[in-house]
Amino acid sequence: MDTNKTKERLSINLDSELKKEVGSLLSDLGLDYTTAITIYFKQIAKKKKIPFELSTTSYYTIDEVAGQDWRNKVAEIKDEWE
């Protein structure tokens, strides 16, 4: 490890409950916040991207929920309107 590297302080604001929850999990792993953030930043630098998938909420199409042949099955549905 290069001990001559300059270090800087990073100050962030987090939800207090999230900080407590993550702190407990990190403790179980034998890590502290600084080590966890350093690991995260090193992965970003190494992979040149966020090291996990980010996405918006996925909305499913009717074909994904009911199957591609759902239109054929609609005619088979019996209802009280007939």
Side-chain angles (χ1 to χ4, degrees), residues 29-76:
L29 293 168
L31 300 172
D32 59 19
Y33 295 109
T34 299
T35 305
I37 295 297
T38 300
I39 291 168
Y40 177 60
F41 277 34
K42 283 184 177 185
Q43 285 296 301
I44 292 172
K46 179 180 179 180
K47 295 180 179 187
K48 308 290 187 231
K49 66 177 190 169
I50 301 295
F52 49 83
E53 182 179 337
L54 298 173
S55 65
T56 59
T57 303
S58 177
Y59 295 97
Y60 298 102
T61 65
I62 187 68
D63 290 349
E64 291 171 311
V65 174
Q68 291 183 345
D69 61 343
W70 68 270
R71 289 172 190 84
N72 297 335
K73 294 178 182 177
V74 169
E76 299 171 8

